[in-house]
Amino acid sequence: MHQPSRRSFLAATGTLANPMRVVGVVVGSLIVIPGVYFLLKLGAEKLQGILSVLFVVLALMRVWGGEVGIVQALASGAVQIDGTAFVNRYTDMIISVGRTFSGVSRWRTDNISNARARGAEVSAAWRVHQVSLRGSYTFLDSEILAVNGSTVAQAPYAVGDPLLRRPRHSGTVDATMTQGLFSGFVQLQLRGETLDAEPAFGPTGGLYTNPGYAVFNLGGSWRIVRKVEIFARAMNLFDRHYEEVFGYPAPGRTGYVGARVAVGR
């Protein structure tokens, strides 16, 4: 028997309007001692589509999650340390059912896929006189879960695979300096390897490991008169060969030189 897809049903009976987001969030903060803040956030989010003709609401995906964090200020506010732990669970994600899950759903596409993500973020910032330093690090443990009513995930994924383009480790280090009419910055961007899809055909064309990278950027500017500033930047200073998205090489060493002119007062 031919099984109609949800998309064909919508096409035959009405028009799917722009998605609507319904969010329920509880946020709280607690000051234990001066300069130390504890933060708590719990929430649920549902992405929906509205069928304009039949006025039927179709739930597309649900996100359940929470996070707890701490903010610590030191040295009269010159140093600030932030830490956050988070967990999110994604349910009712749409997939193509196919023969593998024909016993789970009678639709060709259905909201039966699941995933989760959990991890921690840590950052620290220090400012003294004209120099500022900031570093951040994110640990992300993501996982594709089994389809509802099954012990496997939709091919080509396997239960336990990380989410696409979500690095387990990532971070940045930035330094800026301002001295009179001159300002400059140095930046280091770090990202670990990710799971990615074949660039032409998507996940059906195969899954690949996209290597991690470290990229240095630097630049500076000089205000020569009140309303005119010249600047120069060098991006990917050491000409690192990498791909933010698998199959699409990032620019190599690139330089920019220009001027900014303020108009008006």
Side-chain angles (χ1 to χ4, degrees):
M1 178 178 177
H2 173 69
Q3 298 293 339
S5 69
R6 293 192 175 188
R7 183 171 295 277
S8 63
F9 172 79
L10 294 175
T13 53
T15 302
L16 188 64
N18 291 330
M20 179 180 69
R21 175 175 293 177
V22 178
V23 181
V25 178
V26 177
V27 180
S29 63
L30 176 64
I31 303 176
V32 180
I33 59 177
V36 181
Y37 299 84
F38 287 93
L39 308 175
L40 175 66
K41 178 180 178 182
L42 299 173
E45 183 176 55
K46 183 195 296 184
L47 303 181
Q48 296 180 328
I50 303 176
L51 190 61
S52 61
V53 175
L54 299 182
F55 301 100
V56 175
V57 176
L58 172 65
L60 295 184
M61 185 179 74
R62 291 183 176 90
V63 182
W64 308 88
E67 61 184 53
V68 59
I70 182 173
V71 180
Q72 170 72 70
L74 301 170
S76 301
V79 177
Q80 180 170 307
I81 301 173
D82 301 76
T84 304
F86 59 88
V87 59
N88 292 294
R89 185 180 177 91
Y90 309 94
T91 62
D92 295 342
M93 296 189 295
I94 291 181
I95 63 169
S96 177
V97 174
R99 293 182 178 179
T100 304
F101 307 111
S102 59
V104 176
S105 173
R106 67 188 182 92
W107 302 98
R108 288 191 298 180
T109 59
D110 204 352
N111 304 74
I112 56 176
S113 185
N114 307 283
R116 69 156 179 81
R118 60 191 179 190
E121 299 175 342
V122 180
S123 66
W126 174 66
R127 181 179 180 86
V128 57
H129 302 300
Q130 289 82 25
V131 178
S132 297
L133 296 175
R134 181 173 180 85
S136 64
Y137 167 75
T138 300
F139 170 79
L140 176 62
D141 177 28
S142 64
E143 182 180 10
I144 294 175
L145 304 177
V147 168
N148 294 345
S150 175
T151 59
V152 298
Q154 183 193 31
Y157 303 104
V159 173
D161 281 347
L163 296 175
L164 284 186
R165 301 181 186 132
R166 297 295 184 268
R168 190 173 181 86
H169 305 282
S170 61
T172 60
V173 179
D174 297 272
T176 60
M177 183 188 70
T178 302
Q179 181 66 47
L181 302 178
F182 172 81
S183 64
F185 76 90
V186 177
Q187 181 186 64
L188 170 62
Q189 296 178 321
L190 302 165
R191 196 196 75 176
E193 65 179 27
T194 61
L195 182 68
D196 214 324
E198 203 283 330
F201 301 101
T204 57
L207 300 177
Y208 299 85
T209 297
N210 189 5
Y213 57 83
V215 176
F216 283 89
N217 305 311
L218 62 82
S221 63
W222 179 41
R223 188 175 298 278
I224 55 177
V225 294
R226 180 170 175 267
K227 294 186 177 183
V228 179
E229 180 183 53
I230 58 175
F231 66 88
R233 294 196 301 268
M235 314 301 288
N236 193 3
L237 182 64
F238 298 109
D239 201 25
R240 180 78 159 85
H241 298 283
Y242 69 99
E243 299 176 354
E244 294 185 15
V245 177
F246 185 74
Y248 296 89
R253 184 185 299 113
T254 307
Y256 301 88
V257 178
R260 301 186 186 95
V261 179
V263 179
R265 296 183 178 180

